[in-house]
Amino acid sequence: MPAQMPTQILSDRPNTTVLASVWDRETESYSGNVNMTVYRSPSCGCCGGWIEHAKKHGFQITDIKTENIDDIKREHNISENLASCHTTIIDGYVMEGHIPADEIKRFLKQKPKFAGLSVPGMPLGTPGMESGNRKQPFDVLALSENGQTEVFKTYENY
């Protein structure tokens, strides 16, 4: 699929159309723990889109809807400038926001000495935040225990 096209139509049955995201394409293999817990607001729709994205990449989701999402973020040292709409925990790491599943798999395979990853805010075009051809560049940030960050992966043209 061309990089500038965020979606394509797939059909495996007559008269049935399935909309597929550019993020559905798996580029990173992973055979470790696939059980993650996602904390999100009950009213957030884009989080559900991201959860579906993670499931397509083989993750098993425990979906916890809570009105206390800010408490979860504080517990895992997610500052306001790194926050997004949902917080995910897997293997003791925190994954904040609309991180592409392949980046989570790459991070988990490397087991770096970081607390986790974050895609701050809710950039258009990220998994769960698709909006036609509209895409914002974004960074996946690696989070250190002391609050420092470094770029894990940059997405400019995807």
PDB file of all heavy atoms in Angstrom, residues 1 5-7 20-27 50 53-54 56-57 98-103 105 123-130 135-136 138 140 153 155 157-158:
ATOM      1  N   MET A   1       0.846  -1.157   0.000  1.00  0.00           N
ATOM      2  CA  MET A   1       0.000   0.000   0.000  1.00  0.00           C
ATOM      3  C   MET A   1       0.901   1.232   0.000  1.00  0.00           C
ATOM      4  O   MET A   1       1.847   1.295   0.770  1.00  0.00           O
ATOM      5  CB  MET A   1      -0.895  -0.045   1.226  1.00  0.00           C
ATOM      6  CG  MET A   1      -1.728   1.160   1.408  1.00  0.00           C
ATOM      7  SD  MET A   1      -3.061   0.940   2.597  1.00  0.00           S
ATOM      8  CE  MET A   1      -2.163   0.557   4.060  1.00  0.00           C
ATOM      9  N   MET A   5      -1.309   6.705   1.531  1.00  0.00           N
ATOM     10  CA  MET A   5      -2.690   6.254   1.687  1.00  0.00           C
ATOM     11  C   MET A   5      -2.878   5.658   3.085  1.00  0.00           C
ATOM     12  O   MET A   5      -2.289   4.651   3.396  1.00  0.00           O
ATOM     13  CB  MET A   5      -3.038   5.190   0.636  1.00  0.00           C
ATOM     14  CG  MET A   5      -2.964   5.686  -0.788  1.00  0.00           C
ATOM     15  SD  MET A   5      -4.143   7.000  -1.123  1.00  0.00           S
ATOM     16  CE  MET A   5      -5.658   6.104  -0.933  1.00  0.00           C
ATOM     17  N   PRO A   6      -3.722   6.258   3.931  1.00  0.00           N
ATOM     18  CA  PRO A   6      -3.881   5.741   5.281  1.00  0.00           C
ATOM     19  C   PRO A   6      -4.767   4.518   5.368  1.00  0.00           C
ATOM     20  O   PRO A   6      -4.697   3.783   6.324  1.00  0.00           O
ATOM     21  CB  PRO A   6      -4.520   6.908   6.035  1.00  0.00           C
ATOM     22  CG  PRO A   6      -5.259   7.651   4.976  1.00  0.00           C
ATOM     23  CD  PRO A   6      -4.453   7.484   3.712  1.00  0.00           C
ATOM     24  N   THR A   7      -5.628   4.330   4.396  1.00  0.00           N
ATOM     25  CA  THR A   7      -6.518   3.175   4.474  1.00  0.00           C
ATOM     26  C   THR A   7      -6.631   2.523   3.113  1.00  0.00           C
ATOM     27  O   THR A   7      -6.314   3.103   2.083  1.00  0.00           O
ATOM     28  CB  THR A   7      -7.934   3.585   4.928  1.00  0.00           C
ATOM     29  OG1 THR A   7      -8.442   4.540   4.005  1.00  0.00           O
ATOM     30  CG2 THR A   7      -7.915   4.165   6.323  1.00  0.00           C
ATOM     31  N   ALA A  20      -9.412  -1.055   6.363  1.00  0.00           N
ATOM     32  CA  ALA A  20      -8.188  -1.448   7.052  1.00  0.00           C
ATOM     33  C   ALA A  20      -7.254  -0.251   7.170  1.00  0.00           C
ATOM     34  O   ALA A  20      -7.119   0.532   6.250  1.00  0.00           O
ATOM     35  CB  ALA A  20      -7.506  -2.584   6.300  1.00  0.00           C
ATOM     36  N   SER A  21      -6.604  -0.137   8.300  1.00  0.00           N
ATOM     37  CA  SER A  21      -5.691   0.956   8.577  1.00  0.00           C
ATOM     38  C   SER A  21      -4.311   0.661   8.024  1.00  0.00           C
ATOM     39  O   SER A  21      -3.887  -0.491   7.944  1.00  0.00           O
ATOM     40  CB  SER A  21      -5.610   1.150  10.095  1.00  0.00           C
ATOM     41  OG  SER A  21      -4.541   1.969  10.444  1.00  0.00           O
ATOM     42  N   VAL A  22      -3.580   1.720   7.687  1.00  0.00           N
ATOM     43  CA  VAL A  22      -2.186   1.567   7.285  1.00  0.00           C
ATOM     44  C   VAL A  22      -1.383   0.908   8.409  1.00  0.00           C
ATOM     45  O   VAL A  22      -0.390   0.251   8.170  1.00  0.00           O
ATOM     46  CB  VAL A  22      -1.574   2.936   6.874  1.00  0.00           C
ATOM     47  CG1 VAL A  22      -1.447   3.869   8.063  1.00  0.00           C
ATOM     48  CG2 VAL A  22      -0.234   2.761   6.199  1.00  0.00           C
ATOM     49  N   TRP A  23      -1.838   1.046   9.638  1.00  0.00           N
ATOM     50  CA  TRP A  23      -1.127   0.485  10.786  1.00  0.00           C
ATOM     51  C   TRP A  23      -1.355  -1.012  10.952  1.00  0.00           C
ATOM     52  O   TRP A  23      -0.728  -1.651  11.791  1.00  0.00           O
ATOM     53  CB  TRP A  23      -1.541   1.215  12.060  1.00  0.00           C
ATOM     54  CG  TRP A  23      -1.226   2.674  11.993  1.00  0.00           C
ATOM     55  CD1 TRP A  23      -2.121   3.694  11.822  1.00  0.00           C
ATOM     56  CD2 TRP A  23       0.060   3.279  12.051  1.00  0.00           C
ATOM     57  NE1 TRP A  23      -1.467   4.886  11.790  1.00  0.00           N
ATOM     58  CE2 TRP A  23      -0.118   4.669  11.928  1.00  0.00           C
ATOM     59  CE3 TRP A  23       1.350   2.784  12.197  1.00  0.00           C
ATOM     60  CZ2 TRP A  23       0.931   5.572  11.951  1.00  0.00           C
ATOM     61  CZ3 TRP A  23       2.402   3.683  12.223  1.00  0.00           C
ATOM     62  CH2 TRP A  23       2.198   5.053  12.101  1.00  0.00           C
ATOM     63  N   ASP A  24      -2.268  -1.596  10.169  1.00  0.00           N
ATOM     64  CA  ASP A  24      -2.534  -3.033  10.269  1.00  0.00           C
ATOM     65  C   ASP A  24      -1.371  -3.876   9.759  1.00  0.00           C
ATOM     66  O   ASP A  24      -1.217  -5.021  10.159  1.00  0.00           O
ATOM     67  CB  ASP A  24      -3.792  -3.409   9.493  1.00  0.00           C
ATOM     68  CG  ASP A  24      -5.053  -2.876  10.139  1.00  0.00           C
ATOM     69  OD1 ASP A  24      -4.990  -2.408  11.292  1.00  0.00           O
ATOM     70  OD2 ASP A  24      -6.106  -2.900   9.481  1.00  0.00           O
ATOM     71  N   ARG A  25      -0.582  -3.309   8.893  1.00  0.00           N
ATOM     72  CA  ARG A  25       0.561  -4.046   8.312  1.00  0.00           C
ATOM     73  C   ARG A  25       1.585  -4.309   9.413  1.00  0.00           C
ATOM     74  O   ARG A  25       2.119  -3.393  10.025  1.00  0.00           O
ATOM     75  CB  ARG A  25       1.171  -3.215   7.183  1.00  0.00           C
ATOM     76  CG  ARG A  25       2.296  -3.879   6.467  1.00  0.00           C
ATOM     77  CD  ARG A  25       2.847  -3.035   5.335  1.00  0.00           C
ATOM     78  NE  ARG A  25       3.031  -1.636   5.750  1.00  0.00           N
ATOM     79  CZ  ARG A  25       2.536  -0.603   5.096  1.00  0.00           C
ATOM     80  NH1 ARG A  25       1.810  -0.769   4.017  1.00  0.00           N
ATOM     81  NH2 ARG A  25       2.757   0.631   5.520  1.00  0.00           N
ATOM     82  N   GLU A  26       1.860  -5.577   9.661  1.00  0.00           N
ATOM     83  CA  GLU A  26       2.796  -5.970  10.714  1.00  0.00           C
ATOM     84  C   GLU A  26       4.212  -5.998  10.157  1.00  0.00           C
ATOM     85  O   GLU A  26       4.478  -6.677   9.163  1.00  0.00           O
ATOM     86  CB  GLU A  26       2.410  -7.345  11.262  1.00  0.00           C
ATOM     87  CG  GLU A  26       3.183  -7.743  12.477  1.00  0.00           C
ATOM     88  CD  GLU A  26       2.634  -9.003  13.121  1.00  0.00           C
ATOM     89  OE1 GLU A  26       1.713  -9.618  12.558  1.00  0.00           O
ATOM     90  OE2 GLU A  26       3.121  -9.348  14.194  1.00  0.00           O
ATOM     91  N   THR A  27       5.120  -5.254  10.782  1.00  0.00           N
ATOM     92  CA  THR A  27       6.515  -5.235  10.328  1.00  0.00           C
ATOM     93  C   THR A  27       7.473  -5.755  11.392  1.00  0.00           C
ATOM     94  O   THR A  27       8.643  -5.945  11.108  1.00  0.00           O
ATOM     95  CB  THR A  27       6.949  -3.801   9.934  1.00  0.00           C
ATOM     96  OG1 THR A  27       6.819  -2.954  11.075  1.00  0.00           O
ATOM     97  CG2 THR A  27       6.108  -3.263   8.790  1.00  0.00           C
ATOM     98  N   TRP A  50      -7.531   2.356  19.084  1.00  0.00           N
ATOM     99  CA  TRP A  50      -6.172   1.902  19.349  1.00  0.00           C
ATOM    100  C   TRP A  50      -6.169   0.470  19.890  1.00  0.00           C
ATOM    101  O   TRP A  50      -5.319  -0.340  19.516  1.00  0.00           O
ATOM    102  CB  TRP A  50      -5.456   2.832  20.337  1.00  0.00           C
ATOM    103  CG  TRP A  50      -4.036   2.411  20.519  1.00  0.00           C
ATOM    104  CD1 TRP A  50      -2.975   2.729  19.719  1.00  0.00           C
ATOM    105  CD2 TRP A  50      -3.533   1.522  21.516  1.00  0.00           C
ATOM    106  NE1 TRP A  50      -1.836   2.102  20.173  1.00  0.00           N
ATOM    107  CE2 TRP A  50      -2.156   1.355  21.278  1.00  0.00           C
ATOM    108  CE3 TRP A  50      -4.125   0.859  22.586  1.00  0.00           C
ATOM    109  CZ2 TRP A  50      -1.343   0.554  22.081  1.00  0.00           C
ATOM    110  CZ3 TRP A  50      -3.316   0.051  23.383  1.00  0.00           C
ATOM    111  CH2 TRP A  50      -1.943  -0.091  23.126  1.00  0.00           C
ATOM    112  N   HIS A  53      -6.442  -1.867  17.087  1.00  0.00           N
ATOM    113  CA  HIS A  53      -5.134  -1.914  16.420  1.00  0.00           C
ATOM    114  C   HIS A  53      -4.194  -2.882  17.155  1.00  0.00           C
ATOM    115  O   HIS A  53      -3.573  -3.746  16.538  1.00  0.00           O
ATOM    116  CB  HIS A  53      -4.531  -0.496  16.371  1.00  0.00           C
ATOM    117  CG  HIS A  53      -3.070  -0.453  16.132  1.00  0.00           C
ATOM    118  ND1 HIS A  53      -2.511  -0.756  14.899  1.00  0.00           N
ATOM    119  CD2 HIS A  53      -2.039  -0.147  16.954  1.00  0.00           C
ATOM    120  CE1 HIS A  53      -1.192  -0.629  14.987  1.00  0.00           C
ATOM    121  NE2 HIS A  53      -0.894  -0.262  16.219  1.00  0.00           N
ATOM    122  N   ALA A  54      -4.118  -2.760  18.473  1.00  0.00           N
ATOM    123  CA  ALA A  54      -3.240  -3.637  19.254  1.00  0.00           C
ATOM    124  C   ALA A  54      -3.669  -5.098  19.134  1.00  0.00           C
ATOM    125  O   ALA A  54      -2.823  -5.995  19.007  1.00  0.00           O
ATOM    126  CB  ALA A  54      -3.227  -3.185  20.716  1.00  0.00           C
ATOM    127  N   LYS A  56      -5.130  -6.511  16.588  1.00  0.00           N
ATOM    128  CA  LYS A  56      -4.744  -6.995  15.259  1.00  0.00           C
ATOM    129  C   LYS A  56      -3.278  -7.402  15.218  1.00  0.00           C
ATOM    130  O   LYS A  56      -2.872  -8.174  14.355  1.00  0.00           O
ATOM    131  CB  LYS A  56      -5.018  -5.937  14.197  1.00  0.00           C
ATOM    132  CG  LYS A  56      -6.490  -5.749  13.925  1.00  0.00           C
ATOM    133  CD  LYS A  56      -6.730  -4.663  12.915  1.00  0.00           C
ATOM    134  CE  LYS A  56      -8.214  -4.458  12.687  1.00  0.00           C
ATOM    135  NZ  LYS A  56      -8.481  -3.356  11.754  1.00  0.00           N
ATOM    136  N   HIS A  57      -2.487  -6.883  16.143  1.00  0.00           N
ATOM    137  CA  HIS A  57      -1.068  -7.226  16.223  1.00  0.00           C
ATOM    138  C   HIS A  57      -0.808  -8.316  17.257  1.00  0.00           C
ATOM    139  O   HIS A  57       0.337  -8.552  17.634  1.00  0.00           O
ATOM    140  CB  HIS A  57      -0.247  -5.973  16.521  1.00  0.00           C
ATOM    141  CG  HIS A  57      -0.069  -5.106  15.325  1.00  0.00           C
ATOM    142  ND1 HIS A  57       1.042  -5.160  14.528  1.00  0.00           N
ATOM    143  CD2 HIS A  57      -0.892  -4.196  14.753  1.00  0.00           C
ATOM    144  CE1 HIS A  57       0.921  -4.306  13.535  1.00  0.00           C
ATOM    145  NE2 HIS A  57      -0.254  -3.712  13.644  1.00  0.00           N
ATOM    146  N   HIS A  98      -1.184   6.713  21.668  1.00  0.00           N
ATOM    147  CA  HIS A  98      -1.417   6.036  20.389  1.00  0.00           C
ATOM    148  C   HIS A  98      -0.123   5.555  19.742  1.00  0.00           C
ATOM    149  O   HIS A  98       0.226   5.942  18.629  1.00  0.00           O
ATOM    150  CB  HIS A  98      -2.200   6.968  19.458  1.00  0.00           C
ATOM    151  CG  HIS A  98      -3.579   7.231  19.944  1.00  0.00           C
ATOM    152  ND1 HIS A  98      -4.666   6.499  19.520  1.00  0.00           N
ATOM    153  CD2 HIS A  98      -4.057   8.112  20.859  1.00  0.00           C
ATOM    154  CE1 HIS A  98      -5.746   6.935  20.131  1.00  0.00           C
ATOM    155  NE2 HIS A  98      -5.403   7.915  20.951  1.00  0.00           N
ATOM    156  N   ILE A  99       0.580   4.687  20.435  1.00  0.00           N
ATOM    157  CA  ILE A  99       1.858   4.135  19.964  1.00  0.00           C
ATOM    158  C   ILE A  99       1.571   3.027  18.956  1.00  0.00           C
ATOM    159  O   ILE A  99       0.779   2.128  19.240  1.00  0.00           O
ATOM    160  CB  ILE A  99       2.663   3.552  21.139  1.00  0.00           C
ATOM    161  CG1 ILE A  99       2.874   4.601  22.230  1.00  0.00           C
ATOM    162  CG2 ILE A  99       3.991   2.980  20.653  1.00  0.00           C
ATOM    163  CD1 ILE A  99       3.325   4.018  23.552  1.00  0.00           C
ATOM    164  N   PRO A 100       2.228   3.050  17.789  1.00  0.00           N
ATOM    165  CA  PRO A 100       2.068   1.922  16.866  1.00  0.00           C
ATOM    166  C   PRO A 100       2.497   0.615  17.540  1.00  0.00           C
ATOM    167  O   PRO A 100       3.531   0.556  18.223  1.00  0.00           O
ATOM    168  CB  PRO A 100       2.999   2.290  15.705  1.00  0.00           C
ATOM    169  CG  PRO A 100       3.074   3.790  15.747  1.00  0.00           C
ATOM    170  CD  PRO A 100       3.046   4.122  17.220  1.00  0.00           C
ATOM    171  N   ALA A 101       1.706  -0.428  17.367  1.00  0.00           N
ATOM    172  CA  ALA A 101       1.970  -1.719  18.016  1.00  0.00           C
ATOM    173  C   ALA A 101       3.337  -2.272  17.668  1.00  0.00           C
ATOM    174  O   ALA A 101       3.993  -2.884  18.518  1.00  0.00           O
ATOM    175  CB  ALA A 101       0.881  -2.726  17.637  1.00  0.00           C
ATOM    176  N   ASP A 102       3.803  -2.058  16.437  1.00  0.00           N
ATOM    177  CA  ASP A 102       5.129  -2.557  16.077  1.00  0.00           C
ATOM    178  C   ASP A 102       6.228  -1.905  16.914  1.00  0.00           C
ATOM    179  O   ASP A 102       7.248  -2.529  17.204  1.00  0.00           O
ATOM    180  CB  ASP A 102       5.401  -2.353  14.584  1.00  0.00           C
ATOM    181  CG  ASP A 102       4.806  -3.466  13.729  1.00  0.00           C
ATOM    182  OD1 ASP A 102       4.509  -4.555  14.258  1.00  0.00           O
ATOM    183  OD2 ASP A 102       4.655  -3.244  12.512  1.00  0.00           O
ATOM    184  N   GLU A 103       6.047  -0.652  17.325  1.00  0.00           N
ATOM    185  CA  GLU A 103       7.038   0.009  18.185  1.00  0.00           C
ATOM    186  C   GLU A 103       7.015  -0.579  19.585  1.00  0.00           C
ATOM    187  O   GLU A 103       8.059  -0.731  20.214  1.00  0.00           O
ATOM    188  CB  GLU A 103       6.821   1.523  18.216  1.00  0.00           C
ATOM    189  CG  GLU A 103       6.973   2.201  16.879  1.00  0.00           C
ATOM    190  CD  GLU A 103       8.260   1.855  16.141  1.00  0.00           C
ATOM    191  OE1 GLU A 103       9.327   1.690  16.775  1.00  0.00           O
ATOM    192  OE2 GLU A 103       8.198   1.741  14.904  1.00  0.00           O
ATOM    193  N   LYS A 105       6.230  -3.696  20.244  1.00  0.00           N
ATOM    194  CA  LYS A 105       6.890  -5.005  20.109  1.00  0.00           C
ATOM    195  C   LYS A 105       8.407  -4.841  20.040  1.00  0.00           C
ATOM    196  O   LYS A 105       9.145  -5.592  20.697  1.00  0.00           O
ATOM    197  CB  LYS A 105       6.364  -5.737  18.866  1.00  0.00           C
ATOM    198  CG  LYS A 105       4.914  -6.172  19.024  1.00  0.00           C
ATOM    199  CD  LYS A 105       4.436  -7.021  17.875  1.00  0.00           C
ATOM    200  CE  LYS A 105       4.077  -6.181  16.679  1.00  0.00           C
ATOM    201  NZ  LYS A 105       3.449  -6.971  15.604  1.00  0.00           N
ATOM    202  N   PRO A 123      -1.976  12.781  18.101  1.00  0.00           N
ATOM    203  CA  PRO A 123      -1.687  13.223  16.733  1.00  0.00           C
ATOM    204  C   PRO A 123      -2.581  12.539  15.700  1.00  0.00           C
ATOM    205  O   PRO A 123      -2.765  11.311  15.739  1.00  0.00           O
ATOM    206  CB  PRO A 123      -0.227  12.825  16.520  1.00  0.00           C
ATOM    207  CG  PRO A 123       0.330  12.543  17.877  1.00  0.00           C
ATOM    208  CD  PRO A 123      -0.824  12.144  18.733  1.00  0.00           C
ATOM    209  N   LEU A 124      -3.131  13.333  14.789  1.00  0.00           N
ATOM    210  CA  LEU A 124      -3.930  12.768  13.689  1.00  0.00           C
ATOM    211  C   LEU A 124      -3.067  11.836  12.853  1.00  0.00           C
ATOM    212  O   LEU A 124      -1.931  12.151  12.528  1.00  0.00           O
ATOM    213  CB  LEU A 124      -4.472  13.882  12.798  1.00  0.00           C
ATOM    214  CG  LEU A 124      -5.584  14.735  13.382  1.00  0.00           C
ATOM    215  CD1 LEU A 124      -5.985  15.828  12.392  1.00  0.00           C
ATOM    216  CD2 LEU A 124      -6.785  13.895  13.758  1.00  0.00           C
ATOM    217  N   GLY A 125      -3.615  10.687  12.534  1.00  0.00           N
ATOM    218  CA  GLY A 125      -2.917   9.703  11.715  1.00  0.00           C
ATOM    219  C   GLY A 125      -2.335   8.554  12.510  1.00  0.00           C
ATOM    220  O   GLY A 125      -2.024   7.514  11.939  1.00  0.00           O
ATOM    221  N   THR A 126      -2.182   8.719  13.834  1.00  0.00           N
ATOM    222  CA  THR A 126      -1.664   7.624  14.649  1.00  0.00           C
ATOM    223  C   THR A 126      -2.734   6.530  14.774  1.00  0.00           C
ATOM    224  O   THR A 126      -3.908   6.781  14.504  1.00  0.00           O
ATOM    225  CB  THR A 126      -1.261   8.132  16.053  1.00  0.00           C
ATOM    226  OG1 THR A 126      -2.385   8.756  16.666  1.00  0.00           O
ATOM    227  CG2 THR A 126      -0.090   9.098  15.997  1.00  0.00           C
ATOM    228  N   PRO A 127      -2.349   5.321  15.178  1.00  0.00           N
ATOM    229  CA  PRO A 127      -3.343   4.254  15.317  1.00  0.00           C
ATOM    230  C   PRO A 127      -4.484   4.663  16.254  1.00  0.00           C
ATOM    231  O   PRO A 127      -4.250   5.085  17.373  1.00  0.00           O
ATOM    232  CB  PRO A 127      -2.542   3.091  15.911  1.00  0.00           C
ATOM    233  CG  PRO A 127      -1.129   3.367  15.541  1.00  0.00           C
ATOM    234  CD  PRO A 127      -0.995   4.855  15.523  1.00  0.00           C
ATOM    235  N   GLY A 128      -5.700   4.569  15.762  1.00  0.00           N
ATOM    236  CA  GLY A 128      -6.868   4.980  16.518  1.00  0.00           C
ATOM    237  C   GLY A 128      -7.255   6.430  16.274  1.00  0.00           C
ATOM    238  O   GLY A 128      -8.338   6.854  16.636  1.00  0.00           O
ATOM    239  N   MET A 129      -6.367   7.190  15.659  1.00  0.00           N
ATOM    240  CA  MET A 129      -6.616   8.611  15.379  1.00  0.00           C
ATOM    241  C   MET A 129      -6.582   8.891  13.879  1.00  0.00           C
ATOM    242  O   MET A 129      -6.319  10.016  13.461  1.00  0.00           O
ATOM    243  CB  MET A 129      -5.565   9.486  16.083  1.00  0.00           C
ATOM    244  CG  MET A 129      -5.733   9.578  17.578  1.00  0.00           C
ATOM    245  SD  MET A 129      -7.281  10.372  18.076  1.00  0.00           S
ATOM    246  CE  MET A 129      -7.063  12.010  17.409  1.00  0.00           C
ATOM    247  N   GLU A 130      -6.847   7.874  13.057  1.00  0.00           N
ATOM    248  CA  GLU A 130      -6.858   8.055  11.612  1.00  0.00           C
ATOM    249  C   GLU A 130      -7.951   9.046  11.230  1.00  0.00           C
ATOM    250  O   GLU A 130      -9.033   9.049  11.815  1.00  0.00           O
ATOM    251  CB  GLU A 130      -7.085   6.723  10.886  1.00  0.00           C
ATOM    252  CG  GLU A 130      -5.936   5.744  11.023  1.00  0.00           C
ATOM    253  CD  GLU A 130      -6.125   4.746  12.155  1.00  0.00           C
ATOM    254  OE1 GLU A 130      -6.974   4.971  13.049  1.00  0.00           O
ATOM    255  OE2 GLU A 130      -5.402   3.742  12.159  1.00  0.00           O
ATOM    256  N   LYS A 135      -2.498  13.646   8.362  1.00  0.00           N
ATOM    257  CA  LYS A 135      -1.506  13.017   9.235  1.00  0.00           C
ATOM    258  C   LYS A 135      -0.598  14.083   9.816  1.00  0.00           C
ATOM    259  O   LYS A 135      -0.158  14.967   9.101  1.00  0.00           O
ATOM    260  CB  LYS A 135      -0.657  12.022   8.460  1.00  0.00           C
ATOM    261  CG  LYS A 135      -1.417  10.878   7.891  1.00  0.00           C
ATOM    262  CD  LYS A 135      -0.473   9.982   7.126  1.00  0.00           C
ATOM    263  CE  LYS A 135      -1.268   8.940   6.394  1.00  0.00           C
ATOM    264  NZ  LYS A 135      -0.533   8.346   5.320  1.00  0.00           N
ATOM    265  N   GLN A 136      -0.341  13.965  11.090  1.00  0.00           N
ATOM    266  CA  GLN A 136       0.613  14.839  11.741  1.00  0.00           C
ATOM    267  C   GLN A 136       1.891  14.051  12.011  1.00  0.00           C
ATOM    268  O   GLN A 136       1.814  12.898  12.451  1.00  0.00           O
ATOM    269  CB  GLN A 136       0.064  15.354  13.069  1.00  0.00           C
ATOM    270  CG  GLN A 136      -1.143  16.248  12.927  1.00  0.00           C
ATOM    271  CD  GLN A 136      -1.729  16.614  14.284  1.00  0.00           C
ATOM    272  OE1 GLN A 136      -1.996  15.742  15.098  1.00  0.00           O
ATOM    273  NE2 GLN A 136      -1.927  17.904  14.499  1.00  0.00           N
ATOM    274  N   PHE A 138       4.886  12.733  14.193  1.00  0.00           N
ATOM    275  CA  PHE A 138       4.930  12.509  15.636  1.00  0.00           C
ATOM    276  C   PHE A 138       6.157  11.699  15.998  1.00  0.00           C
ATOM    277  O   PHE A 138       6.739  11.015  15.158  1.00  0.00           O
ATOM    278  CB  PHE A 138       3.654  11.819  16.139  1.00  0.00           C
ATOM    279  CG  PHE A 138       3.471  10.391  15.686  1.00  0.00           C
ATOM    280  CD1 PHE A 138       3.862   9.326  16.492  1.00  0.00           C
ATOM    281  CD2 PHE A 138       2.888  10.111  14.462  1.00  0.00           C
ATOM    282  CE1 PHE A 138       3.683   8.015  16.083  1.00  0.00           C
ATOM    283  CE2 PHE A 138       2.697   8.805  14.040  1.00  0.00           C
ATOM    284  CZ  PHE A 138       3.102   7.758  14.858  1.00  0.00           C
ATOM    285  N   VAL A 140       7.655   8.840  18.806  1.00  0.00           N
ATOM    286  CA  VAL A 140       7.454   7.884  19.887  1.00  0.00           C
ATOM    287  C   VAL A 140       8.627   8.130  20.829  1.00  0.00           C
ATOM    288  O   VAL A 140       9.785   8.019  20.413  1.00  0.00           O
ATOM    289  CB  VAL A 140       7.451   6.431  19.379  1.00  0.00           C
ATOM    290  CG1 VAL A 140       7.299   5.457  20.541  1.00  0.00           C
ATOM    291  CG2 VAL A 140       6.354   6.219  18.340  1.00  0.00           C
ATOM    292  N   LYS A 153      11.441   6.604  17.983  1.00  0.00           N
ATOM    293  CA  LYS A 153      11.145   6.517  16.550  1.00  0.00           C
ATOM    294  C   LYS A 153      10.393   7.780  16.146  1.00  0.00           C
ATOM    295  O   LYS A 153       9.532   8.250  16.878  1.00  0.00           O
ATOM    296  CB  LYS A 153      10.291   5.276  16.269  1.00  0.00           C
ATOM    297  CG  LYS A 153       9.734   5.135  14.877  1.00  0.00           C
ATOM    298  CD  LYS A 153      10.743   4.548  13.911  1.00  0.00           C
ATOM    299  CE  LYS A 153      10.126   4.424  12.528  1.00  0.00           C
ATOM    300  NZ  LYS A 153      10.487   3.273  11.821  1.00  0.00           N
ATOM    301  N   TYR A 155       8.015   9.530  13.145  1.00  0.00           N
ATOM    302  CA  TYR A 155       7.145   9.297  11.991  1.00  0.00           C
ATOM    303  C   TYR A 155       6.855  10.646  11.350  1.00  0.00           C
ATOM    304  O   TYR A 155       6.208  11.489  11.947  1.00  0.00           O
ATOM    305  CB  TYR A 155       5.820   8.636  12.421  1.00  0.00           C
ATOM    306  CG  TYR A 155       5.967   7.190  12.777  1.00  0.00           C
ATOM    307  CD1 TYR A 155       6.297   6.797  14.051  1.00  0.00           C
ATOM    308  CD2 TYR A 155       5.763   6.204  11.816  1.00  0.00           C
ATOM    309  CE1 TYR A 155       6.430   5.460  14.390  1.00  0.00           C
ATOM    310  CE2 TYR A 155       5.890   4.865  12.135  1.00  0.00           C
ATOM    311  CZ  TYR A 155       6.228   4.504  13.424  1.00  0.00           C
ATOM    312  OH  TYR A 155       6.357   3.176  13.741  1.00  0.00           O
ATOM    313  N   ASN A 157       6.615  10.853   7.389  1.00  0.00           N
ATOM    314  CA  ASN A 157       5.869  10.471   6.188  1.00  0.00           C
ATOM    315  C   ASN A 157       5.487   9.014   6.327  1.00  0.00           C
ATOM    316  O   ASN A 157       6.331   8.140   6.224  1.00  0.00           O
ATOM    317  CB  ASN A 157       6.715  10.673   4.930  1.00  0.00           C
ATOM    318  CG  ASN A 157       7.126  12.110   4.768  1.00  0.00           C
ATOM    319  OD1 ASN A 157       6.296  12.995   4.806  1.00  0.00           O
ATOM    320  ND2 ASN A 157       8.419  12.342   4.606  1.00  0.00           N
ATOM    321  N   TYR A 158       4.255   8.752   6.583  1.00  0.00           N
ATOM    322  CA  TYR A 158       3.794   7.374   6.782  1.00  0.00           C
ATOM    323  C   TYR A 158       2.446   7.187   6.142  1.00  0.00           C
ATOM    324  O   TYR A 158       1.804   8.104   5.729  1.00  0.00           O
ATOM    325  CB  TYR A 158       3.742   7.037   8.276  1.00  0.00           C
ATOM    326  CG  TYR A 158       2.918   7.965   9.115  1.00  0.00           C
ATOM    327  CD1 TYR A 158       1.594   7.653   9.392  1.00  0.00           C
ATOM    328  CD2 TYR A 158       3.428   9.156   9.616  1.00  0.00           C
ATOM    329  CE1 TYR A 158       0.812   8.504  10.157  1.00  0.00           C
ATOM    330  CE2 TYR A 158       2.640  10.018  10.373  1.00  0.00           C
ATOM    331  CZ  TYR A 158       1.346   9.695  10.633  1.00  0.00           C
ATOM    332  OH  TYR A 158       0.567  10.527  11.393  1.00  0.00           O
TER     333      TYR A 158
END
